[in-house]
Amino acid sequence: MPSHIDRVREALARVEGERGASVASEAGVRIGLLGRGIGASLTPIMHEAEGKRLGLDYRYDLIDFDRLALEDADLGAVLEAVRENGFRGVNVTYPFKQAIIPLLDGLSGEASAIGAVNTVVFSPDRTEGHNTDCYGFAQSLRQGLGVVPVSRVVQIGAGGAGAAVAQALAELGAMELDIVDVDLSRAEALAAQVASANGTLTRGMTPERLAELVDEATGIVNATPVGMEKLPGLPFDPALLQRHQWVADIIYFPRETELIRRARDIGCRVLPGGGMAVYQAVRAFQLFSGQEPDPTEMAKTFAAYA
């Protein structure tokens, strides 16, 4: 049986072999995405297309722990190995947005306040975690739904992505925010964090209260992985929705979740996760390359492959 380190080396060698001659040169920008069940991600094509448009030698690899048979405990070894292999940085997705924090040398102010990381930038002597999800969700909501009532919002999910979304909702002016999670202590911790940072009336709740909470909400956000291709299903019963409400999902593969379809059928205004995917990628590209990407061009690339 291969050792911990050998397993990681074999997995990365497999990624290298699959890309072959497309390896970025020493002067180029090489990035990766760490996560599980990420084969349908459009983040690589958005980054590579924008890099090409800007004349950069830009390569973006998927490092899917499921497909490569890696364990969660391999995360630290993978981070060290990609850095040694010349990567400029990595994006981080489910289920590692919080698990990666102790492995880093430092965090940006925003990542520290949110308590989750989706972007890691490597420098010669430092690994620094950033969070571009908060900006990504906020900008997506502004562009996708415009002005919507945020007097009382219910957010389902208090994990890494949920931490960024909750901060974004507070910044967007949510007056009351109910955070629902199967782990009540996690929901209450995130609620306390958001309340302390923003002064928003925020509560942590369990799913048993969902019917009551959704009934009183102006908007509902799914910030759980339920609905992904890897985890199909519904985060709650859509029959609880009313047509005057808006519904957002952070999932973008599949491009439209069952929750979004059912909410639209009811008459709700809906926001699929594609916009968040685009705008978080825009901010991450800037951090990795030091150049200003064009959000419109990256959105066009996303739409072309979605």
Side-chain angles (χ1 to χ4, degrees):
M1 180 177 292
S3 71
H4 180 70
I5 297 300
D6 287 342
R7 182 170 59 247
V8 169
R9 287 174 177 162
E10 288 172 8
L12 292 182
R14 185 173 162 192
V15 173
E16 292 279 2
E18 289 169 353
R19 293 300 297 267
S22 64
V23 174
S25 68
E26 270 189 40
V29 180
R30 188 174 179 194
I31 309 300
L33 174 62
L34 311 184
R36 291 194 177 279
I38 55 177
S41 174
L42 293 183
T43 300
I45 189 64
M46 282 193 288
H47 275 257
E48 290 187 349
E50 186 63 6
K52 182 178 181 180
R53 192 186 69 82
L54 292 173
L56 301 176
D57 181 8
Y58 201 107
R59 167 177 164 174
Y60 195 116
D61 292 327
L62 286 179
I63 302 173
D64 189 330
F65 277 52
D66 283 345
R67 193 176 65 82
L68 296 171
L70 293 171
E71 300 175 4
D72 287 2
D74 293 326
L75 181 61
V78 170
L79 191 69
E80 182 178 347
V82 295
R83 189 179 183 192
E84 290 175 352
N85 283 9
F87 282 59
R88 186 80 62 90
V90 292
N91 281 132
V92 184
T93 190
Y94 173 81
F96 301 127
K97 291 183 179 184
Q98 291 169 318
I100 201 165
I101 290 176
L103 305 174
L104 304 176
D105 296 319
L107 301 177
S108 69
E110 189 168 42
S112 180
I114 292 168
V117 163
N118 78 316
T119 302
V120 179
V121 177
F122 300 149
S123 61
D125 59 354
R126 183 175 174 81
T127 57
E128 183 169 72
H130 298 258
N131 191 297
T132 69
D133 281 336
C134 180
Y135 169 82
F137 181 80
Q139 191 67 3
S140 173
L141 193 143
R142 293 187 194 101
Q143 297 295 322
L145 292 181
V147 179
V148 290
V150 290
S151 56
R152 187 163 186 178
V153 180
V154 173
Q155 173 181 311
I156 304 167
V165 170
Q167 178 62 28
L169 288 167
E171 293 176 4
L172 288 164
M175 298 173 63
E176 296 184 44
L177 176 60
D178 292 315
I179 301 173
V180 178
D181 198 276
V182 293
D183 184 340
L184 179 59
S185 63
R186 185 164 71 166
E188 289 179 333
L190 178 56
Q193 175 183 308
V194 173
S196 175
N198 302 277
T200 305
L201 178 56
T202 313
R203 295 171 288 257
M205 301 286 188
T206 60
E208 288 75 21
R209 298 281 305 277
L210 259 176
E212 169 195 345
L213 297 173
V214 171
D215 183 63
E216 298 173 351
T218 55
I220 301 94
V221 182
N222 176 39
T224 78
V226 177
M228 290 175 60
E229 289 181 348
K230 177 181 171 60
L231 294 169
L234 288 159
F236 66 96
D237 184 358
L240 298 172
L241 295 170
Q242 304 164 62
R243 61 180 299 113
H244 68 269
Q245 296 169 320
W246 56 269
V247 178
D249 204 326
I250 67 168
I251 295 168
Y252 80 90
F253 50 95
R255 309 301 174 238
E256 192 170 271
T257 61
E258 185 178 354
L259 173 63
I260 291 296
R261 290 195 300 271
R262 297 277 291 275
R264 180 184 287 115
D265 289 344
I266 289 167
C268 300
R269 296 181 66 187
V270 297
L271 182 71
M276 179 178 175
V278 170
Y279 289 110
Q280 68 79 21
V282 167
R283 183 64 63 88
F285 185 98
Q286 181 185 43
L287 288 168
F288 291 140
S289 70
Q291 297 201 29
E292 289 292 336
D294 185 331
T296 302
E297 291 298 324
M298 293 184 78
K300 285 180 182 177
T301 300
F302 180 90
Y305 287 88

